[in-house]
């Protein structure tokens, strides 16, 4: 009990010191004011900018700002313009050349394509080129994919090196085996049904891909920190994969269940049920997409807002700021723990629901008819 | 809201990288692991079954050996008993034979003794007869001088004796 009290006191003291720091650093507030957009001139901290800068995509990987110098990794821009063809250059070229390079510039705030690369056509309108730039999220996808490949192939290598009757692995390989077999046995086998073998590589890949993206997003600095699964394009792609698998491998009785379900005839002749069921085909992956996207983005938003709280309250006086700092750090610790949980749960849920949807489309038996 | 608009570039790169990850993992990653784990599972099951069977065989064998030992013990007891009986029988027979032999010898000895006794008796008788004859002769010689009558009587008596001996 005494030990616990000591720890609490120590923590309070530590946070007190941390809380005072922004106050001491208030002199830099003017610098921040200059940098932040004109919109938030009254507020020295542009919370919206911070949050969307972290969550959104960009053509450079912003790492940190030390004093007035920003530390960021410029990323290659690859665009195809319908008038001038392919262009490929580093994003740092834009800044070096006063924001415009080879006719491309970032769309200003308030534009339809805010913060995206645009070119101007003859009449001066903004036109979006075909853009396959390696953006921040793209690079994060590459890093995460590479990590995933290294981890899984590393684990697989352990097995390939050993004979069939080798002793069960220990340590990391054993842990990975446990997770893989948990997904394989408890989720895939039980949800998909007897034909699970065909789908299990996809579902396992999806699980580990989402898991590694979720976990990497929680690391606040360079190789992580990008909320890949908090981007709608990524979740849409994954949901589309599931959608394709469900409907391409759907059995005859699955399609019959949609267009001629086992309901009273008048519900089918006036096609109420078929219409509802038909929409169900699309709502299921749509729900998958939105669930993962919203869960991941909301967690990151909450954490960013809580962190911003420290800087927002910097102008409210030392006492207020220290109190809010303590609260913010406490809540951030809580949020981080929660986010780790959510990272695992969302990967699990996405995989499980995909497996369930695939399994539902794999039914071979005729729906049971009620005996009269 | 730009957050809700999926970016084509991202979709393209996601398709590419996820596709590669999926193909590589589906070919070299997960199947190897799952195959191995399932192989191990069947191996363990098989081993368990084999161990169970071996155990059963072992217990069967031990039961068998126990019965064999018990049977051997029984047999041993039986053989011992038979041997004892045999021994007793042999001893009994031997003693019987010895007895018989002894009896026979005894009988023979008895017979010899008897014969010798008879011989001796006969010898004695003869001598007694001779003695008595001699005595009688002496007596008779004395008396015969006295009368011829007495002589006659002695003759008669001798005859009597002789006839008796002849019989």
């Amino acid at each position: 009990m005494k030990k616990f009290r000591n720890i609490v006191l120590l923590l309070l003291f530590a946070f007190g010191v941390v809380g005072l720091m922004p106050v001491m650093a208030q002199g830099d507030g003017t610098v921040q004011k200059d940098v932040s957009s004109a919109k938030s001139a009254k507020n020295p901290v542009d919370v919206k900018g911070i949050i969307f800068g972290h969550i959104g995509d960009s053509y450079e990987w912003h790492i940190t700002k030390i004093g007035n110098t920003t530390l960021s990794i410029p990323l290659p821009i690859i665009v195809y313009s319908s008038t001038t063809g392919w262009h490929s250059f580093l994003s740092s070229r834009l800044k070096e050349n006063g924001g415009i390079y080879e006719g491309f510039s970032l769309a200003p705030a308030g534009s339809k394509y805010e913060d995206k690369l645009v070119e101007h056509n003859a009449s001066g309108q903004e036109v979006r080129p075909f853009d396959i730039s390696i953006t921040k999220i793209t690079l994060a996808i590459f890093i995460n994919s590479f990590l995933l490949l290294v981890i899984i192939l590393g684990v697989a290598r352990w097995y390939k090196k050993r004979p069939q009757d080798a002793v069960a692995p220990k340590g990391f390989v054993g842990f990975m085996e446990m997770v893989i077999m948990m997904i394989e046995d408890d989720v895939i086998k039980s949800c998909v049904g007897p034909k699970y073998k065909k789908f299990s590589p996809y579902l396992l890949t999806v699980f580990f891909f989402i898991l590694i993206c979720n976990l990497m997003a929680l690391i606040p600095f360079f190789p992580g920190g990008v909320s890949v699964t908090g981007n709608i394009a990524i979740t849409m792609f994954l949901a589309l994969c599931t959608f394709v698998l469900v409907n391409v491998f759907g059995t005859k009785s699955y399609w019959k269940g949609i267009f001629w379900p086992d309901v009273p005839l008048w519900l089918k002749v006036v096609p109420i049920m078929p219409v509802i069921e038909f929409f169900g085909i699309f709502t299921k992956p749509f729900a998958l997409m939105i669930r993962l996207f919203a869960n991941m983005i909301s967690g990151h938003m909450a954490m960013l807002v809580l962190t911003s709280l420290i800087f927002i309250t910097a102008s409210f006086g030392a006492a207020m700021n220290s109190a809010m700092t303590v609260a913010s750090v406490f809540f951030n610790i809580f949020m981080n723990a929660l986010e780790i949980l959510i990272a695992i749960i969302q990967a699990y849920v996405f995989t499980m629901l995909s497996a369930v949807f695939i399994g539902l489309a794999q039914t071979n038996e005729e729906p049971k008819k009620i005996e009269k | 809201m730009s957050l809700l608009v999926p970016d084509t570039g991202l979709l393209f790169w996601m398709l590419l990288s996820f596709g590669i990850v999926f193909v590589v993992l589906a070919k070299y990653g997960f199947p190897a692991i799952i195959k191995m784990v399932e192989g191990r599972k069947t191996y363990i099951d098989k081993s368990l079954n084999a161990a169970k069977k071996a155990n059963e065989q072992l217990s069967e064998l031990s039961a068998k050996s126990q019965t064999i030992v018990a049977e051997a013990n029984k047999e041993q007891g039986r053989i011992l008993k038979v041997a004892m009986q045999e021994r007793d029988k042999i001893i009994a027979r031997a003693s019987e034979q010895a007895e018989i032999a002894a009896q026979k010898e005894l009988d023979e000895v008895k017979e010899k003794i008897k014969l010798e006794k008879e011989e001796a008796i006969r010898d004695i008788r003869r001598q007694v007869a001779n003695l008595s004859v001699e005595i009688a002769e002496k007596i008779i010689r004395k008396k015969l001088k006295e009368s011829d009558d007495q002589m006659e009587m002695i003759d008669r008596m001798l005859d009597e004796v002789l006839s008796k001996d002849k019989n």
Side-chain angles (χ1 to χ4, degrees):
Chain A
M1 200 57 212
K2 205 173 171 191
K3 207 173 164 190
F4 175 74
R5 206 181 303 151
N6 281 346
I7 290 169
V8 170
L9 276 175
L10 201 74
L11 280 175
L12 279 176
F13 179 72
F15 290 145
V17 171
V18 171
L20 286 175
M21 268 158 62
V23 183
M24 292 188 287
Q26 240 175 353
D28 294 346
T30 48
V31 180
Q32 279 183 333
K33 208 184 282 178
D34 295 340
V35 172
S36 57
S37 60
K39 195 165 58 171
S40 54
K42 243 184 152 185
N43 194 342
V45 185
D46 173 21
V47 177
K48 190 172 172 256
I50 288 172
I51 290 172
F52 285 97
H54 273 84
I55 289 168
D57 207 353
S58 74
Y59 294 101
E60 58 175 14
W61 193 317
H62 178 89
I63 294 173
T64 185
K65 186 155 55 179
I66 305 162
N68 272 339
T69 50
T70 12
L71 188 63
S72 62
I73 303 168
L75 297 169
I77 288 172
I78 305 163
V79 284
Y80 177 79
S81 159
S82 52
T83 50
T84 54
W86 287 99
H87 295 267
S88 158
F89 51 90
L90 271 183
S91 62
S92 55
R93 289 262 185 278
L94 285 173
K95 212 171 274 172
E96 286 164 13
N97 293 285
I100 186 152
Y101 187 77
E102 289 183 4
F104 296 100
S105 58
L106 291 182
S111 152
K112 202 168 92 184
Y113 309 114
E114 189 179 339
D115 282 337
K116 298 268 189 240
L117 206 68
V118 286
E119 58 180 342
H120 294 273
N121 61 9
S123 55
Q125 279 173 318
E126 282 174 349
V127 178
R128 184 101 168 84
F130 178 62
D131 186 356
I132 49 164
S133 308
I134 312 280
T135 59
K136 187 172 78 169
I137 291 179
T138 313
L139 185 61
I141 293 171
F142 291 167
I143 293 170
N144 294 348
S145 300
F146 179 72
L147 258 177
L148 182 60
L149 282 178
V150 166
I151 289 170
I152 301 294
L153 291 182
V155 172
R157 212 168 80 91
W158 190 95
Y159 290 91
K160 278 177 187 156
K161 276 200 306 198
R162 279 164 180 73
Q164 182 67 77
D165 53 353
V167 189
K170 290 187 178 66
F172 181 69
V173 178
F175 172 74
M176 286 305 288
E177 181 191 305
M178 188 198 78
V179 177
I180 291 170
M181 292 322 286
M182 183 194 82
I183 298 298
E184 169 87 359
D185 288 340
D186 297 348
V187 179
I188 300 174
K189 213 181 272 184
S190 59
C191 290
V192 176
K195 284 187 200 156
Y196 74 96
K197 273 260 181 318
K198 195 163 44 177
F199 304 100
S200 98
Y202 164 71
L203 292 168
L204 280 167
T205 311
V206 160
F207 175 78
F208 283 103
F209 188 85
I210 296 174
L211 183 66
I212 207 155
C213 286
N214 289 353
L215 290 176
M216 285 297 281
L218 292 178
I219 300 172
F221 39 81
F222 166 60
V226 179
S227 180
V228 175
T229 39
N231 187 291
I232 196 111
I234 309 305
T235 59
M236 189 176 101
F237 177 79
L238 293 171
L240 265 176
C241 286
T242 300
F243 172 77
V244 167
L245 277 182
V246 166
N247 294 296
V248 167
F249 292 101
T251 56
K252 211 181 267 177
S253 70
Y254 162 71
W255 290 108
K256 184 185 169 288
I258 287 165
F259 292 113
W260 201 250
D262 201 19
V263 288
L265 194 66
W266 63 271
L267 279 173
K268 292 189 267 194
V269 174
V270 185
I272 297 170
M273 284 311 288
V275 165
I276 291 171
E277 290 279 355
F278 185 73
F279 272 105
I281 297 175
F282 301 100
T283 52
K284 281 174 194 165
F286 189 76
L288 273 183
M289 169 178 91
I290 295 296
R291 179 181 297 110
L292 183 58
F293 163 73
N295 266 296
M296 295 331 289
I297 210 165
S298 62
H300 281 263
M301 273 185 180
M303 278 196 283
L304 288 166
V305 167
L306 283 169
T307 313
S308 302
L309 218 56
I310 300 170
F311 303 101
I312 294 169
T313 53
S315 56
F316 296 173
M320 181 69 172
N321 191 224
S322 329
M324 285 317 287
T325 304
V326 171
S328 162
V329 170
F330 262 119
F331 277 109
N332 248 330
I333 291 168
F334 171 74
M335 276 309 291
N336 257 306
L338 191 71
E339 277 300 297
I340 290 171
L341 196 68
I342 288 174
I344 297 162
I345 289 173
Q346 286 308 317
Y348 185 85
V349 164
F350 193 98
T351 313
M352 196 185 68
L353 285 179
S354 292
V356 167
F357 294 154
I358 291 170
L360 283 177
Q362 293 295 310
T363 47
N364 252 332
E365 57 195 295
E366 290 286 311
K368 280 174 198 161
K369 282 183 179 162
I370 301 156
E371 283 176 31
K372 282 174 187 171
Chain B
M1 185 99 179
S2 69
L3 267 182
L4 289 173
V5 180
D7 197 71
T8 17
L10 267 182
L11 274 177
F12 169 75
W13 287 114
M14 180 67 187
L15 171 72
L16 199 72
S17 43
F18 187 82
I20 291 169
V21 168
F22 168 65
V23 167
V24 171
L25 290 189
K27 203 156 167 44
Y28 305 107
F30 295 119
I33 298 169
I34 286 165
K35 204 183 127 207
M36 182 84 167
V37 172
E38 273 170 4
R40 192 196 301 141
K41 220 181 267 173
T42 53
Y43 177 75
I44 288 170
D45 284 350
K46 228 191 276 169
S47 304
L48 276 178
N49 273 337
K52 209 172 162 190
K53 218 176 265 173
N55 248 343
E56 267 168 23
Q57 275 174 347
L58 198 71
S59 64
E60 217 169 82
L61 269 181
S62 77
K64 218 182 253 176
S65 74
Q66 266 177 1
T67 54
I68 286 172
V69 166
E71 255 168 44
N73 273 337
K74 228 165 136 191
E75 187 68 18
Q76 185 199 28
R78 198 183 62 80
I79 287 170
L80 273 177
K81 217 161 114 190
V82 168
M84 233 139 76
Q85 282 174 348
E86 201 72 6
R87 185 194 62 182
D88 288 351
K89 229 186 261 175
I90 287 168
I91 288 172
R93 210 184 293 152
S95 65
E96 211 169 84
Q97 272 175 352
E99 218 166 85
I100 289 167
Q103 194 67 44
K104 214 166 147 194
E105 220 159 277
L106 207 69
D107 285 354
E108 266 170 28
V109 169
K110 266 184 188 165
E111 194 74 15
K112 225 182 234 172
I113 289 169
K114 206 174 153 193
L115 282 175
E116 265 169 30
K117 207 170 95 187
E118 274 172 12
E119 187 97 350
I121 287 169
R122 252 197 314 272
D123 210 25
I124 288 167
R125 227 181 232 184
R126 217 179 293 140
Q127 279 181 19
V128 167
N130 282 346
L131 275 176
S132 52
V133 168
E134 268 173 39
I135 293 163
E137 246 178 15
K138 274 171 190 171
I139 295 168
I140 287 163
R141 255 174 220 158
K142 235 178 188 178
K143 288 258 176 128
L144 276 173
K145 281 164 194 171
E146 288 167 11
S147 71
D148 290 332
D149 293 345
Q150 276 174 340
M151 196 63 195
E152 211 178 331
M153 195 195 64
I154 287 167
D155 277 341
R156 204 176 60 227
M157 276 171 84
L158 268 175
D159 284 340
E160 256 174 43
V161 170
L162 284 172
S163 66
K164 212 177 191 179
D165 270 359
K166 259 174 199 174
N167 290 337

